[in-house]
Amino acid sequence: MAKPKKSDRTDRQKVIDDIRRKQRRAGNRQGTVIVTICVIVAVVIIGAAAYKPIKGWIDNQKYRGKSLDQIGAAASVCKPVVTRTATAAQQHVPEGTTVTYDDAPPAFGKHWNVPGIAPAPIDQRFYTASDTLPLEVLVHNLEHGFTILWYDDTAAKNSTFMDQIQAIAKDLDANDTNNRLSFKAVPWTSKDIQQIKGHKTFPAGEHIAFSHWTAGGNNKSLGVWQYCSAPSGAALADFMNKYPYTDAPEPIGGAAMSQ
């Protein structure tokens, strides 16, 4: 058998070296792809975490320096105020009891009485479905003079509406003195609807409701409502001026947190 020529060995070595170089290049490319993917994933995760705070900051700037009546739609998006004779002042039921209310949303009725819980403290003025309060708690806030803005599921899915509602809550918080702007904004959920007689909800086309419990004068306690198709700081300002916390059956307002 003939011995391989030196040139043949050299050619084979070149082939082997070429294969090894290709393998190294392929390995390097694979490593680069993996690193790139990891970087992209990290950027996406960091971006997602930063999105909400950044968006919240940007959204806040839209309403910076605006007064309450400049936030949201004009007052004309709201229907006229309606009232109904109220009952159950100072009528407490045990914590955990489910109360069925006549109106959507309630403006008066039986409620829980738990120090520090019902009525809820004024500190938090804006709520979402993940941290909202039972109706029996909110009704006790109403008895103490709070005005509540309720927003339905349609409004909850509208980012512009939600920005406006949060801006309204922040404005009332920043400008409150002596509990005079006792206010909460809360979602009107499917669970709430189940507690309303006949499972009633807001009138067709209306996605926002204000409610308040007023002593009314002449021993005539009243529930007060106003429905709106969109958030309106102007309408809310008029509503709260006409029905301040001081006209409630027990006008304690934000100080109610320990009652």
Side-chain angles (χ1 to χ4, degrees):
M1 183 175 177
K3 262 176 118 180
K5 295 180 183 178
K6 185 176 179 181
S7 60
D8 291 339
R9 288 198 300 270
T10 302
D11 289 342
R12 283 197 295 271
Q13 188 62 48
K14 284 182 179 178
V15 171
I16 293 169
D17 290 344
D18 286 342
I19 291 172
R20 286 174 175 165
R21 278 195 295 272
K22 288 177 181 177
Q23 287 174 337
R24 283 196 297 269
R25 284 198 296 269
N28 290 339
R29 283 197 298 271
Q30 186 178 31
T32 301
V33 169
I34 292 172
V35 170
T36 302
I37 292 173
C38 289
V39 169
I40 291 172
V41 170
V43 168
V44 169
I45 291 172
I46 293 170
Y51 174 75
K52 282 192 175 181
I54 292 172
K55 181 180 183 298
W57 182 86
I58 293 172
D59 292 338
N60 286 340
Q61 302 313 300
K62 290 189 295 187
Y63 303 102
R64 188 178 181 86
K66 289 190 175 183
S67 59
L68 180 61
D69 60 2
Q70 294 176 312
I71 301 173
S76 57
V77 302
C78 298
K79 292 181 174 295
V81 170
V82 295
T83 62
R84 192 163 77 81
T85 300
T87 59
Q90 298 182 334
Q91 290 190 26
H92 301 151
V93 296
E95 179 185 1
T97 301
T98 298
V99 177
T100 298
Y101 294 99
D102 291 335
D103 304 290
F108 58 86
K110 297 178 181 179
H111 47 273
W112 299 348
N113 180 39
V114 186
I117 297 176
I122 195 173
D123 311 45
Q124 184 174 346
R125 296 185 186 244
F126 173 80
Y127 297 78
T128 65
S130 65
D131 63 359
T132 193
L133 300 167
L135 295 183
E136 295 84 1
V137 171
L138 292 166
V139 170
H140 200 162
N141 281 82
L142 288 164
E143 185 183 45
H144 284 303
F146 277 70
T147 289
I148 297 179
L149 180 157
W150 313 75
Y151 60 91
D152 72 2
D153 190 54
T154 297
K157 293 175 181 176
N158 185 313
S159 60
T160 298
F161 282 6
M162 295 305 290
D163 291 344
Q164 292 168 348
I165 294 169
Q166 290 183 70
I168 285 170
K170 288 178 180 177
D171 180 272
L172 290 169
D173 186 49
N175 293 291
D176 200 358
T177 54
N178 301 322
N179 308 308
R180 67 187 181 86
L181 300 178
S182 295
F183 169 86
K184 289 187 181 295
V186 302
W188 178 245
T189 68
S190 57
K191 182 179 178 182
D192 296 330
I193 295 171
Q194 298 306 307
Q195 282 186 238
I196 306 303
K197 189 177 293 184
H199 298 168
K200 293 182 294 186
T201 189
F202 299 175
E206 312 303 325
H207 306 295
I208 306 293
F210 310 146
S211 71
H212 182 79
W213 189 346
T214 175
N218 300 318
N219 296 316
K220 189 178 181 182
S221 182
L222 299 172
V224 186
W225 295 266
Q226 187 168 27
Y227 297 94
C228 311
S229 58
S232 172
L236 180 64
D238 290 342
F239 186 91
M240 293 182 71
N241 284 334
K242 187 172 182 180
Y243 302 102
Y245 90 88
T246 51
D247 76 349
E250 298 181 37
I252 303 173
M257 64 182 67
S258 61
Q259 299 302 309

